[in-house]
């Protein structure tokens, strides 16, 4: 599996934030639209039925940079396992034809770079607009996710390519 921006990409799917938790909770992005599995029950939307999709409350990396972000993610995960606290929560806010909907998702990192977060938001907007397709990320995931998360420059390059595809 690999993290690219706000997306967790596995050979079997693309998720906002982290992959499914122990209870299966997640938001999976499909060619048809986002699918949420959470304690409130399963919900699904079509891309055509959405006016917008934005991830809010994104944890950002600290001023000391990316190296400390990785160390912070490891320490945060270890502390979370010890104290029973989970990873940081983010909110996927969907603007639908019937009004706003919110889904809580977990961050896959203790902090995201501003560039990756902005490109991820742009890519989500393109999914809604129909000018990008999450299946592009799925194809990449089948070929590359088993290799793990690419470095920061490659992640930003992938996001740029996907937003322009």
């Amino acid at each position: 599996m690999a993290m690219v921006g706000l997306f967790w990409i596995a050979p079997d799917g693309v998720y906002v934030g982290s992959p499914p938790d122990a209870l299966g909770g997640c938001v999976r992005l499909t060619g048809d639209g986002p699918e949420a599995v959470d304690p409130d029950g399963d919900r699904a939307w079509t891309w055509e039925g959405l006016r917008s999709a934005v991830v809010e409350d994104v944890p950002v990396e600290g001023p000391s940079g990316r190296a400390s972000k990785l160390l912070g993610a490891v320490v945060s995960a270890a502390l979370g396992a010890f104290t029973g606290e989970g990873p940081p929560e983010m909110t996927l806010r969907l603007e639908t034809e019937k009004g706003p909907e919110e889904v809580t998702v977990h961050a896959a990192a203790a902090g995201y770079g501003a560039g990756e977060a902005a490109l991820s938001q742009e890519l989500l907007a393109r999914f809604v607009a129909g000018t990008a397709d999450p299946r592009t990320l799925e194809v990449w995931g089948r070929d590359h996710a088993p290799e793990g998360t690419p470095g920061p420059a490659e992640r930003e390059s992938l996001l740029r390519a996907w937003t322009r595809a």
Side-chain angles (χ1 to χ4, degrees):
M1 294 192 259
M3 182 188 73
V4 178
L6 300 178
F7 307 105
W8 189 263
I9 305 171
D12 67 337
V14 176
Y15 304 90
V16 176
S18 66
D21 61 23
L23 301 175
C26 65
V27 173
R28 183 170 184 243
L29 302 179
T30 72
D32 295 327
E35 300 174 344
V37 177
D38 64 20
D40 297 330
D42 297 355
R43 297 178 279 170
W45 302 268
T46 63
W47 294 117
E48 295 82 18
L50 294 177
R51 294 188 176 132
S52 67
V54 177
V55 181
E56 298 179 343
D57 308 317
V58 175
V60 293
E61 65 184 18
S64 55
R66 291 183 169 142
S68 67
K69 178 177 82 171
L70 179 58
L71 178 60
V74 172
V75 170
S76 189
L79 284 173
F82 181 72
T83 63
E85 295 177 18
E89 290 184 348
M90 303 184 295
T91 303
L92 175 61
R93 184 177 307 278
L94 304 171
E95 198 59 48
T96 73
E97 296 168 333
K98 297 177 183 174
E101 301 247 6
E102 292 183 357
V103 182
T104 300
V105 295
H106 291 103
Y112 295 93
E116 280 188 81
L119 287 166
S120 298
Q121 300 283 14
E122 183 179 340
L123 189 54
L124 272 174
R126 290 189 46 124
F127 293 156
V128 172
T131 57
D133 190 327
R135 290 176 284 209
T136 302
L137 285 68
E138 286 181 25
V139 169
W140 181 89
R142 282 192 290 277
D143 295 339
H144 301 285
E147 300 165 13
T149 298
E154 185 179 349
R155 292 193 308 264
E156 285 195 28
S157 178
L158 285 166
L159 288 164
R160 276 191 200 89
W162 293 334
T163 58
R164 292 184 182 114

